[in-house]
Amino acid sequence: MAAYYLFNLILYRVLPAIETNGTVLVSGGRLNYRFNTLYSNTFTLTLLAAGTFAQGADFPVWVFISENYLQLLTASILISYAIATFVYVRSFSVKAGNAENRELAAGGHTGNLLYDWFIGRELNPRVTIPIIGEVDIKEWCELRPGMMGWIILNSAWCAQQYRNYGYVTDSIICITVVQALYVVDSWWFEPAILTTMDITTDGFGMMLAFGDLVWVPFVYSQQTRYLSTHPLSLGPVGLAAMLSLIGLGFFIFRSANNQKNAFRTNPNDPSVAHLKYIQTKTGSKLLTTGWWGVARHINYLGDWIQSWPYCLPTGLAGYQIMAAGSLAEDAVGAFVMADGRQVIQGSAKGWAIPITYFYVIYFAVLLIHRDRRDDEKCHRKYGDDWEKYKKAVRWRIIPGIY
């Protein structure tokens, strides 16, 4: 894992990058950001693709991941704990009016040690590494090792399914591809991260460190891990349904975010100049028409819709692994692995639903929680103007429902 992180840091430094300034901080300053995640992760994927082309499913990287999954998970957890503790201790060196524009997060210095360590005390912790240079820890962790790891783990489970059965099903390919597109989209629009709540409001602590480095790659890849052992086929109709659902969610998510970013960057842009808004006393403008007039977090709805095709291809999840020869090879519903063991659902059918569908449930809770936190933040910032805005845009995430 250390080599993987070092490799990512080297690519961050040596590959071409776009440099831009972040949003204005409370102190009035602005931090400079270096964006080249698309280049660095595309380079990594190219190397993995070349290795797979040369050695197929037996490419050592895929085999190593499958055989050392728990060790990799443990190492990632320890790294996230180490980083969270490091930035917490270092946050006490933040001084008012410092030239480095270091700031404490608004809700991250309550005096409660455990809470501040978890939620993040410093807003944008940075560290200077020899040869590598300055790295914004929060922005770097947000899109690089964890999001890249998500694609890598999915690919490893595809290879595992091939080693198990000699083929790869449309269900595991569908999930791997749509999740990869979701991740690549975040790399392509990397500068948009500067306007997100994670960057502008939340401190960097255990919550984000664990979420970025452990939760995203290891939890979000559970569906492909399941399918690597219990393969299912969607068929043309099922595949079309999944792609339609992901297309709808992606359209809402990306269109809404693009509209918001265009309006924030240049309100006179022809694509957003016609939109109506509320002018707040702070100088900010709150959109009341367009995507953001439909719901206050309409992008969350698109994001949640996209999560369903990640889980639906697993069906009524649950399986049993039977010893070789314990069932007839032509038993209905049985999958014979390369080592002779047979996989059936039997009485285990449905028991794994809480695991393979966990992402949909968890993501809904996460988005609702983020919406509530954002509502509190905006109420503090805009006061009466925010209440006026909420009357104009009634719905939080799902129009007509919530």
Side-chain angles (χ1 to χ4, degrees), residues 45 146-156 176 179-180 183-184 187:
L45 287 175
M147 296 289 265
M148 182 71 240
W150 186 4
I151 294 180
I152 290 175
L153 283 172
N154 278 342
S155 300
T176 300
Q179 289 186 346
V183 173
V184 172
W187 300 342

Side-chain angles (χ1 to χ4, degrees), residues 112-131:
N112 184 313
L113 187 152
L114 285 177
Y115 179 81
D116 292 348
W117 171 78
F118 176 78
I119 206 69
R121 199 167 183 275
E122 187 171 352
L123 183 62
N124 298 112
R126 295 186 165 206
V127 63
T128 300
I129 304 174
I131 302 177

Side-chain angles (χ1 to χ4, degrees), residues 294-314:
V294 178
R296 301 200 288 272
H297 278 117
I298 190 65
N299 58 330
Y300 288 2
L301 174 61
D303 219 2
W304 190 60
I305 291 174
Q306 288 184 85
S307 70
W308 279 95
Y310 300 171
C311 304
L312 288 172
T314 63

Side-chain angles (χ1 to χ4, degrees), residues 23 162 188 244 295 327 397:
T23 57
Y162 188 85
W188 185 272
S244 297
L327 285 175
I397 299 175

Side-chain angles (χ1 to χ4, degrees), residues 108-362:
H109 50 107
T110 64
N112 184 313
L113 187 152
L114 285 177
Y115 179 81
D116 292 348
W117 171 78
F118 176 78
I119 206 69
R121 199 167 183 275
E122 187 171 352
L123 183 62
N124 298 112
R126 295 186 165 206
V127 63
T128 300
I129 304 174
I131 302 177
I132 303 298
E134 185 179 62
V135 178
D136 186 290
I137 300 176
K138 181 164 66 172
E139 195 279 330
W140 188 83
C141 288
E142 190 90 359
L143 295 179
R144 290 174 184 269
M147 296 289 265
M148 182 71 240
W150 186 4
I151 294 180
I152 290 175
L153 283 172
N154 278 342
S155 300
W157 296 127
C158 286
Q160 180 67 49
Q161 187 186 77
Y162 188 85
R163 290 196 301 275
N164 283 340
Y165 299 104
Y167 59 83
V168 180
T169 58
D170 56 4
S171 58
I172 198 170
I173 292 175
C174 176
I175 293 175
T176 300
V177 170
V178 296
Q179 289 186 346
L181 289 175
Y182 177 82
V183 173
V184 172
D185 173 75
S186 70
W187 300 342
W188 185 272
F189 294 99
E190 185 176 12
I193 195 177
L194 297 182
T195 62
T196 64
M197 191 175 180
D198 285 355
I199 299 297
T200 63
T201 306
D202 293 338
F204 186 78
M206 186 58 191
M207 181 179 73
L208 286 180
F210 187 86
D212 292 341
L213 308 180
V214 182
W215 195 265
V216 167
F218 290 93
V219 174
Y220 293 2
S221 60
Q222 287 303 303
Q223 294 82 20
T224 52
R225 187 183 180 209
Y226 170 83
L227 291 171
S228 70
T229 302
H230 186 255
L232 294 174
S233 179
L234 293 172
V237 175
L239 187 60
M242 294 304 101
L243 293 178
S244 297
L245 201 56
I246 195 72
L248 173 64
F250 181 78
F251 173 72
I252 295 173
F253 174 78
R254 182 46 58 199
S255 297
N257 281 338
N258 283 347
Q259 188 177 82
K260 176 184 68 174
N261 292 328
F263 186 79
R264 285 182 172 180
T265 304
N266 179 18
N268 297 317
D269 186 300
S271 65
V272 295
H274 64 285
L275 298 178
K276 296 180 181 180
Y277 57 86
I278 293 176
Q279 180 70 57
T280 68
K281 299 180 183 67
T282 64
S284 299
K285 299 174 181 178
L286 303 175
L287 287 171
T288 56
T289 59
W291 279 112
W292 301 91
V294 178
R296 301 200 288 272
H297 278 117
I298 190 65
N299 58 330
Y300 288 2
L301 174 61
D303 219 2
W304 190 60
I305 291 174
Q306 288 184 85
S307 70
W308 279 95
Y310 300 171
C311 304
L312 288 172
T314 63
L316 296 176
Y319 62 79
Q320 302 175 61
I321 299 179
M322 312 299 291
S326 59
L327 285 175
E329 289 191 8
D330 61 347
V332 177
F335 298 96
V336 183
M337 302 176 75
D339 59 7
R341 292 180 298 166
Q342 299 190 52
V343 179
I344 64 170
Q345 286 204 286
S347 60
K349 185 176 182 178
W351 72 266
I353 286 178
I355 298 174
T356 59
Y357 285 79
F358 175 76
Y359 181 84
V360 169
I361 300 171
Y362 157 76

Side-chain angles (χ1 to χ4, degrees), residues 15-34:
L15 292 180
I18 297 173
E19 297 198 15
T20 186
N21 290 324
T23 57
V24 179
L25 301 170
V26 174
S27 64
R30 301 177 73 179
L31 294 170
N32 179 264
Y33 289 86
R34 178 181 175 83

